[in-house]
Amino acid sequence: MLVFIGVLGILFIVDAVAVYRQKDGVKASRDCPDRLSNGDQNPISISIRNDYPFKIGIKIVEEVPFQFQKRDLIFKTSLGVDRSEVFHYNLRPTERGVYLFGAINIFVTGVFGLVTRRYVFDQQKYVAVYPSFLEMHKYELLAASNRLTDYGVKKIRRIGHATEFDHIKHYVLGDDPRTINYKATARISQLMVNTYQEEKSQPVYCLIDKGRTMKMPFNEMTLLDYAINSTLMVCSTALNKGDKAGVITFSKNIDEILPADKRRRQRNSILEMLYAQQTDFKESDYERLFVTVRRKLTQRSLVILYTNFETVNGMRRQLKYLSHLAKDHLVLVAFFLNSEFNDILETSPTNMEETFRRGMAEKLSNDKLLIVKELNRHGIHTILSKPENLTIDSINKYLEFKSRGLI
């Protein structure tokens, strides 16, 4: 027994000397972008290298920002001499703001596994979480490769010539005979046709309601964040189409106004503006919004209002202001369908409480449909969308308006 203890002691000393003799036995670093995309899976990686002259066991304990509530992000492996390895993981933030990454803790065990040494790499880094720019880049790549249907964007047939005249050219097989320019044809005795291009430089404004109703959570994100992500995508699409994009945020007061523009820097200006938006839990003032829009928007524009009407009476209180806006602009109201009601409506009640809940769910679901009908009756276009589908539904509606020549 004493011999065994003695041998174990010797092995412990040898292991401790081997692990602690070298000052920097391992190197580690974190590869993290300077900003994360809200609501998306953001890739993060940790690189580690073994500089010991022997094989080691490694346990990595990563300190991610407290907002993710992850305390078990641990990686285990073994590394040979002069070997490196990269560990990958994803983080999905659900709120905008500044996040702090902590240290990378590396626990190294020696040849005999009797001694563990801790290395702390001070990799503290502040990272800003912005609206969903990763989704925006994905959309732009698909647009460049004509694969927008993979994203969910519908192919919309152009109705008539909702375009502006570009130039006259010689007729080639496949040109629309309705575009023949008979005066030019008679002048040079060859078939000539008019060519058109989409009307551009049309103002598109996204109005974001930051009142208390937009604080409602869905899938760990607030409705305000869904509206902000959708605004970024719609504005990016409008800029790609040659239109001018602008943003107005409001609640009890008009918070920020970014005038519509189509310059190259506008996309980044929109991103920076949306990053800082927060709800103030107050009742939104639509009268003040109407006065501001009427004063600031002197040209007929597409106005997309992101809000959340839960009841018919709540909508009717704002209807007169929306109706006045619709006289001067093309107004589209985008609000949210509560898909969680479907689970209640699809189950049969077994007691009084469940019966009451089902009745309330039916009433609130019917109210949403009544809101759509009443807004449409006053010449106001609508999107009633699930939060996760809001971006695609908004882009499709914008493209539909473009194809119909409404803007």
Side-chain angles (χ1 to χ4, degrees), residues 360-407:
M360 288 301 299
E362 287 180 350
K363 180 185 182 304
L364 293 174
S365 296
N366 290 333
D367 277 357
K368 296 281 188 179
L369 300 178
L370 290 175
I371 291 171
V372 170
K373 290 181 179 179
E374 189 150 354
L375 288 173
N376 292 342
R377 190 164 58 86
H378 285 81
I380 301 167
H381 299 270
T382 56
I383 296 175
L384 178 58
S385 174
K386 295 179 180 179
E388 67 270 25
N389 297 334
L390 180 64
T391 296
I392 290 300
D393 291 343
S394 300
I395 292 175
N396 282 331
K397 204 69 175 179
Y398 163 74
L399 295 177
E400 178 190 336
F401 290 158
K402 290 285 288 185
S403 70
R404 295 170 58 187
L406 299 179
I407 56 173

Side-chain angles (χ1 to χ4, degrees), residues 26-30 102-106 119-124:
V26 295
K27 293 184 176 66
S29 62
R30 179 192 296 118
I104 303 174
N105 300 279
I106 309 293
Y119 288 87
V120 178
F121 293 89
D122 188 13
Q123 294 284 334
Q124 286 194 352

Side-chain angles (χ1 to χ4, degrees), residues 318-334:
Q318 320 301 343
L319 183 57
K320 62 179 180 179
Y321 307 117
L322 298 177
S323 299
H324 287 312
L325 278 180
K327 293 178 181 178
D328 300 321
H329 304 281
L330 178 63
V331 178
L332 171 64
V333 176

Side-chain angles (χ1 to χ4, degrees), residues 158-174:
R158 187 169 302 284
I159 302 173
H161 290 299
T163 52
E164 58 184 12
F165 175 77
D166 188 17
H167 65 278
I168 301 173
K169 72 178 186 71
H170 288 279
Y171 175 86
V172 295
L173 187 65

Side-chain angles (χ1 to χ4, degrees), residues 132-177:
S132 183
F133 60 86
L134 287 182
E135 199 71 11
M136 180 182 68
H137 295 331
K138 174 185 174 184
Y139 174 85
E140 290 174 346
L141 289 173
L142 291 174
S145 57
N146 293 318
R147 293 175 51 205
L148 285 180
T149 51
D150 296 348
Y151 188 81
V153 177
K154 299 177 182 177
K155 289 185 176 180
I156 300 176
R157 183 174 63 88
R158 187 169 302 284
I159 302 173
H161 290 299
T163 52
E164 58 184 12
F165 175 77
D166 188 17
H167 65 278
I168 301 173
K169 72 178 186 71
H170 288 279
Y171 175 86
V172 295
L173 187 65
D175 284 339
D176 189 347

Side-chain angles (χ1 to χ4, degrees), residues 1 12 33 47 120 173-174 182 184 225 243 276 345 394:
M1 185 66 180
F12 179 85
S47 301
V120 178
L173 187 65
Y182 292 99
D225 280 312
D243 286 334
L345 296 175
S394 300

Side-chain angles (χ1 to χ4, degrees), residues 169-238:
K169 72 178 186 71
H170 288 279
Y171 175 86
V172 295
L173 187 65
D175 284 339
D176 189 347
R178 293 174 297 177
T179 63
I180 294 176
N181 187 317
Y182 292 99
K183 289 184 178 180
T185 298
R187 190 161 50 245
I188 65 173
S189 301
Q190 291 183 4
L191 277 177
M192 305 294 291
V193 294
N194 296 331
T195 59
Y196 300 86
Q197 64 178 0
E198 284 186 335
E199 293 184 11
K200 297 182 178 180
S201 299
Q202 306 298 313
V204 177
Y205 275 90
C206 292
L207 279 52
I208 304 177
D209 182 355
K210 301 196 304 180
R212 56 182 177 81
T213 60
M214 296 295 282
K215 189 63 176 176
M216 185 180 297
F218 181 85
N219 194 19
E220 300 180 342
M221 289 174 58
T222 64
L223 298 184
L224 176 61
D225 280 312
Y226 283 105
I228 285 174
N229 288 346
S230 178
T231 294
L232 180 62
M233 290 293 295
V234 170
C235 289
S236 178
T237 304

